[in-house]
Amino acid sequence: MTANQITLWYLVASVCFIFALKGLSSPTTARRGNAFGIAGMTIAVLTTIAVIARGRVDLILMAMLVGGAIGAIVARRVEMTQMPELVAAMHSLVGMAAVLIAVAAVNNPAAFGVQDPMPTGNKLELFIGTFVGAITFSGSVIAFGKLAGLGKKFRLFSSAPVVFKGQHMVNLVLALVMVGFGVAFFLAPGKAWTPFIAMAGIAFVLGVLIIIPIGGADMPVVISMLNSYSGWAAAGIGFSLNNSMLIIAGSLVGSSGAILSYIMCKAMNRSFFSVILGGFGAAEGSAAAGATDRTVRSGSADDAAFLMANAESVIIVPGYGLAVARAQHAVKEMAAKLTAKGVNVRYAIHPVAGRMPGHMNVLLAEAEVPYDQVFEMDDINGEFGTCDVALVLGANDVVNPLAYEKGSPIYGMPILDVVKARTVLVNKRSMAAGYAGLDNPLFYMDKTMMVFGDAKKVVDDIVKALE
């Protein structure tokens, strides 16, 4: 295959990736976007194999077979509620891949078509790709542990922030030392293994220290941030290896992840730069004072069915509790019965509902909920004031009115204005605080009725009561 043919096929793959991102921007075109992504990656992989056709293609195919088999098994077994930690795990693999490629390139530049000894320009790009990849790997491992609830086994995985005195100063010193070793690697003649290994080792440690102070409520932002890091790591390695496909694909992932991180930060009232530096999340909230002294009004599924059946409009707010119970299909059936009774049913989606961006959209799409019933926060928040019933299924932090109170740990965070609805129904397993660790005053209001229990069972009971 000639150089021009390689460039052409890589360009075709890149165009497919761009169409994939465009398609994934909307639920209605997401499947088409996935198809473009699959096509682009297939073209990129086949072109790369053609480039090294004279090498040990058999080893590459064996590795692809093993990796593909593992991926297929994981994909079939993973639950939708486990998608956030799966995404974190995938990010860690991308980061480690960048580090391993960098190690191989330093060891034998000629094998990658790079001059030996390696030019300083390539070493600079390799240095950047290596430390970003290392930070991505270790940071993603910590994110995986936090999302998977491994805090009881290892404190660094606690969903609560893990902080210590002088933490930011330690991070700053380590970052400066890491850059210092990177500069030494960049300026040194030859392979310069010592500064390279020291730089990579510090980067692995820094990845852990950046993520451990981030609390569980902020993990959706962390997921998108690490997604961006993995892309930039791949792009950096692509520059050092003069591989246009890695550069383009990595840049697309890095830039789209950065944009998504910015959107998530706005949705959670966070500073974008503090997210990048791992400097947020240390001020997790605690339960509201006096929460244990207050009482709630509870009811049954039959009560909830009666209220919604006699309403003109109902807004459903899905949360992580719905995901855990896998209640999306039951919710769709309930909405269909309410619609048949003349009730205007809509869904309100907060940008960070669940544990990763788009979590609730994916669940509703899986249940084939009509797209015209699903609204983002900015589009539906003004409707809560005229809504008869708001049904909250397992959501907590994204409907917490403490966001309106100065001094609250979540003050300023945009939330769904469920508190403005005429009647609020909340389904939860218990009165336990949400992922942010904050009690929710909404649950104690006179207009609110709590319906305790597993979301799927409760919604199934509501469906029976509506018949």
Side-chain angles (χ1 to χ4, degrees), residues 90 106 149 255 279 292 353-354 417:
M90 295 299 104
V106 172
S255 56
T292 55
D417 289 328

PDB file of all heavy atoms in Angstrom, residues 90 106 149 255 279 292 353-354 417:
ATOM      1  N   MET A  90     -12.189   1.512  30.439  1.00  0.00           N
ATOM      2  CA  MET A  90     -11.730   1.664  29.060  1.00  0.00           C
ATOM      3  C   MET A  90     -10.756   2.828  28.927  1.00  0.00           C
ATOM      4  O   MET A  90      -9.755   2.753  28.201  1.00  0.00           O
ATOM      5  CB  MET A  90     -12.923   1.877  28.117  1.00  0.00           C
ATOM      6  CG  MET A  90     -13.883   0.695  28.006  1.00  0.00           C
ATOM      7  SD  MET A  90     -13.108  -0.825  27.356  1.00  0.00           S
ATOM      8  CE  MET A  90     -12.931  -1.778  28.876  1.00  0.00           C
ATOM      9  N   VAL A 106      10.708   4.604  22.630  1.00  0.00           N
ATOM     10  CA  VAL A 106      11.998   5.002  23.203  1.00  0.00           C
ATOM     11  C   VAL A 106      13.018   3.883  23.032  1.00  0.00           C
ATOM     12  O   VAL A 106      14.194   4.124  22.727  1.00  0.00           O
ATOM     13  CB  VAL A 106      11.834   5.373  24.692  1.00  0.00           C
ATOM     14  CG1 VAL A 106      13.195   5.598  25.346  1.00  0.00           C
ATOM     15  CG2 VAL A 106      10.978   6.624  24.840  1.00  0.00           C
ATOM     16  N   GLY A 149     -17.868   1.265  43.935  1.00  0.00           N
ATOM     17  CA  GLY A 149     -18.146   1.137  45.365  1.00  0.00           C
ATOM     18  C   GLY A 149     -17.125   0.307  46.117  1.00  0.00           C
ATOM     19  O   GLY A 149     -17.471  -0.432  47.040  1.00  0.00           O
ATOM     20  N   SER A 255     -10.844  16.767  22.183  1.00  0.00           N
ATOM     21  CA  SER A 255     -11.620  18.010  22.098  1.00  0.00           C
ATOM     22  C   SER A 255     -13.074  17.795  22.475  1.00  0.00           C
ATOM     23  O   SER A 255     -13.672  18.603  23.201  1.00  0.00           O
ATOM     24  CB  SER A 255     -11.519  18.594  20.688  1.00  0.00           C
ATOM     25  OG  SER A 255     -11.945  17.658  19.721  1.00  0.00           O
ATOM     26  N   GLY A 279      -8.820  20.000  41.338  1.00  0.00           N
ATOM     27  CA  GLY A 279      -8.890  20.797  42.549  1.00  0.00           C
ATOM     28  C   GLY A 279     -10.273  21.005  43.087  1.00  0.00           C
ATOM     29  O   GLY A 279     -10.502  21.917  43.869  1.00  0.00           O
ATOM     30  N   THR A 292     -32.865  14.391  61.017  1.00  0.00           N
ATOM     31  CA  THR A 292     -33.393  13.225  61.708  1.00  0.00           C
ATOM     32  C   THR A 292     -34.632  13.562  62.536  1.00  0.00           C
ATOM     33  O   THR A 292     -35.352  12.667  62.956  1.00  0.00           O
ATOM     34  CB  THR A 292     -32.314  12.630  62.626  1.00  0.00           C
ATOM     35  OG1 THR A 292     -31.829  13.655  63.518  1.00  0.00           O
ATOM     36  CG2 THR A 292     -31.141  12.107  61.802  1.00  0.00           C
ATOM     37  N   ALA A 353     -27.476  13.496  35.655  1.00  0.00           N
ATOM     38  CA  ALA A 353     -28.257  12.470  36.346  1.00  0.00           C
ATOM     39  C   ALA A 353     -27.597  11.119  36.130  1.00  0.00           C
ATOM     40  O   ALA A 353     -27.112  10.816  35.046  1.00  0.00           O
ATOM     41  CB  ALA A 353     -29.688  12.448  35.812  1.00  0.00           C
ATOM     42  N   GLY A 354     -27.584  10.284  37.161  1.00  0.00           N
ATOM     43  CA  GLY A 354     -26.879   9.015  37.076  1.00  0.00           C
ATOM     44  C   GLY A 354     -25.426   9.207  37.434  1.00  0.00           C
ATOM     45  O   GLY A 354     -25.070  10.106  38.197  1.00  0.00           O
ATOM     46  N   ASP A 417     -36.237  21.999  38.587  1.00  0.00           N
ATOM     47  CA  ASP A 417     -37.086  22.743  39.527  1.00  0.00           C
ATOM     48  C   ASP A 417     -38.314  21.947  39.950  1.00  0.00           C
ATOM     49  O   ASP A 417     -39.454  22.445  39.895  1.00  0.00           O
ATOM     50  CB  ASP A 417     -37.504  24.075  38.908  1.00  0.00           C
ATOM     51  CG  ASP A 417     -36.347  25.056  38.810  1.00  0.00           C
ATOM     52  OD1 ASP A 417     -35.457  25.002  39.681  1.00  0.00           O
ATOM     53  OD2 ASP A 417     -36.337  25.861  37.864  1.00  0.00           O
TER      54      ASP A 417
END
